[in-house]
Amino acid sequence: MARTTIHDIAKELNTTAATVSRALNDHPSISTATKEAVRQAALRLNYQQNRTASSLRLGRTFVLGVIIPSAEISFFGSAVHGIEMVAKTQGYTVLLFQSNETQEDEARGVQTLLQSNVDGIIASIAKETTSLDHFLEIKRRNVPLILFDRATDELGVPTVVIDDYKGAYMATEHLIQQGYRRIAHISGPQHIKIFHERLRGYVDALKAYNFKIDGDLIIYGKVSIVTGRACAQQLLAMPNRPDAIFAVEDFTALGALQAIKESPWNKPGQIGVVGFANEAFSAYITPSLTTIDQQTALMGQEAANLFMDMKQEEHDPALPPRKIVLDPVLVIRQSSIRRATRGKLTKEENHLAPDHASHLP
Amino acid sequence: MARTTIHDIAKELNTTAATVSRALNDHPSISTATKEAVRQAALRLNYQQNRTASSLRLGRTFVLGVIIPSAEISFFGSAVHGIEMVAKTQGYTVLLFQSNETQEDEARGVQTLLQSNVDGIIASIAKETTSLDHFLEIKRRNVPLILFDRATDELGVPTVVIDDYKGAYMATEHLIQQGYRRIAHISGPQHIKIFHERLRGYVDALKAYNFKIDGDLIIYGKVSIVTGRACAQQLLAMPNRPDAIFAVEDFTALGALQAIKESPWNKPGQIGVVGFANEAFSAYITPSLTTIDQQTALMGQEAANLFMDMKQEEHDPALPPRKIVLDPVLVIRQSSIRRATRGKLTKEENHLAPDHASHLP
DNA sequence: ATGAAAGCGCTAACAG
DNA sequence: CTGTTAGCGCTTTCAT
């Protein structure tokens, strides 16, 4: 009934627990004969190591704590998948926590993970989090902390993010090259860095192609289907309506697409839309959504790798923490394809564009 | 630098570790005064319980292991969410494992969870799993095991599933009541129980409305977008083509919708489609997908509740294990709405239907 | 190459 | 009400 321990094996072989332990851990100073005998007995008695006991003794658990806002966002699902892939190869287990986008749950998650003696924590910050105290506690306890995607430099910990600026630039440039001339942007709260960066990318892409920046074409939503739809409706009601929308992320883009479909300008290729995130649904909707892929699984892998590195080298605390920036990938689908394309446009050719833009259909 | 222990607190207060331990655990035979003093000191010294040590001593970890095929399927994401909700209220933590739909990873997951001394395991069986030996090991170790959704009765453990038969019946009945007369079914591998049950529900609904069962209208796919599309193409190529398709789950339905859109019968309401699962994307595609909701979060909650129950009452092993069957919910969206509806049909009125069915547009 | 013994931090008899 | 003591299962000096 009771689970077999190394003592049971020792008794079986007329030896001691110490020898059994060493044998199982492949200690060099144990004869191959005994090692084999121990392994046999372990198998026969169906021995399974008690990790709790081992952890207590070793002071490490081989558990990696992960805190994500929500497992229902496929983005985080695949990031976790990436983390697990790396963790597995190094003998680590992943303990998952969902913050439900609240600071309260996030702080509780940190506490539980610390109590569980996880060897490290990989986290993506909740939307509603304003204070970073709970994360500081992790640092103070000398537990490795890595942030991914929703990261901040304030904590001075390693991070892995994608280049949001570049992704937004690529998205906007793609719309320009498709021939769209009045490109709007539905952004999100500017205190969240990734949204601010995406706005910058949008602006700079327009500038690079000599478009005038029109403040009316930039509106701020709360990053959801509903606000995406509302913002798009507002844009479409303008006298000088845009002919394309770059949305700050896919759910917002989805709402915008819905608004467009319900509008008079609902013919394919009439109003281009690009999102950001490559959420699972984006390939399935109609029209399928052009978007920026964030390399989520890779992001998870890199985060896990950063952790493994931290375990290795005692990183000099004076040095700045490592920061991995992944390249975004433009995924072109139907929503941004212009039917009658004007041909590719180079930056130099577009001196006239801003003027034309105002009397588009 | 080193983490504070109860001994540190004891020294601080000139008492012993035992007293501190009792105070922190709110033991009745400790004076309120000392309890307060201990709490103060704990706070001041920033004490955090070492769960590893506690677990070793208590023989329990307050960790609940969860094995799911993939976190990227939103269904499992929200089931885990449901589990966490309940776990949290009882002081449990969730350790998550993904089997990636393979038996190998599933078995490794079981082993790791057992080594981690989880207090119980909640699992949903991988598609590719054929042998149940690894699950038997859990039982043999007297660790509570609960299966959800992808469950089996063979193991004699508590399960929580939805009524697949009923869900399929509801889906088919809905199509009948919309006025569709030749309703096809794209099924999945019949050795997986849920798929078999859904086929039964489809057949019985047709029978109940006096439809003839046409074997040509039942085809078997591998449950994916690609096979859904292929199966639908095959159905649409038949001389006696169906006017509606009930797909075994949402991804298959999605493929079928794609095939329909590319076919000559792509006008809204021409060919009805119903899926199964209420995957996140089903609300966003065009047409939005009518489907059967599986109450995923509730399923997770019930599974967690079953675990809590098992911890409580020593369930008599002679008694059959508890089995919770949730009611499916029909979610009506665009894909199944018939434009020119023939009015509702009752079972009694349909004596002629089978004959009519053969010369539908 | 193996054994003896101590201890990781916590909790629970038992004793007072 | 509090202190003493022992031990959960494992690993690791230190001996031999």
Side-chain angles (χ1 to χ4, degrees), chain B residues 220-334:
Chain B
Y220 302 88
K222 270 176 57 187
V223 186
S224 70
I225 298 177
V226 176
T227 58
R229 182 193 207 112
C231 290
Q233 281 165 346
Q234 192 182 327
L235 286 168
L236 293 174
M238 290 170 49
N240 248 334
R241 132 183 48 80
D243 62 351
I245 297 175
F246 165 47
V248 71
E249 51 75 65
D250 282 353
F251 287 97
T252 306
L254 178 61
L257 278 178
Q258 289 175 353
I260 290 169
K261 273 199 256 184
E262 294 158 2
S263 80
W265 307 280
N266 58 4
K267 281 196 280 306
Q270 212 164 3
I271 299 191
V273 174
V274 177
F276 204 113
N278 200 11
E279 272 293 318
F281 69 82
S282 56
Y284 309 142
I285 59 179
T286 311
S288 55
L289 181 65
T290 295
T291 187
I292 300 293
D293 185 83
Q294 308 193 68
Q295 311 220 51
T296 51
L298 180 59
M299 199 179 270
Q301 286 177 44
E302 292 291 356
N305 282 331
L306 277 181
F307 163 73
M308 300 302 164
D309 291 350
M310 282 177 89
K311 292 263 73 169
Q312 296 284 314
E313 352 138 353
E314 275 309 314
H315 192 77
D316 182 346
L319 293 175
R322 288 184 56 185
K323 184 167 177 173
I324 294 182
V325 180
L326 299 179
D327 268 334
V329 176
L330 175 66
V331 179
I332 300 176
R333 298 204 185 94
Q334 296 165 358

Side-chain angles (χ1 to χ4, degrees), chain A residues 320-337:
Chain A
R322 289 184 57 185
K323 184 167 179 172
I324 295 182
V325 180
L326 299 178
D327 267 333
V329 177
L330 175 66
V331 180
I332 300 175
R333 299 206 184 92
Q334 295 164 0
S335 68
S336 66
I337 301 297

Side-chain angles (χ1 to χ4, degrees), chain A residues 5-6 18 21 47 49 57:
Chain A
T5 72
I6 50 175
S21 172
Y47 169 79
Q49 187 197 44
R57 180 61 233 253

Side-chain angles (χ1 to χ4, degrees), chain A residues 210-223:
Chain A
N210 296 312
F211 281 85
K212 200 178 59 190
I213 306 304
D214 183 346
D216 291 349
L217 291 182
I218 303 173
I219 58 183
Y220 302 88
K222 270 176 58 186
V223 186

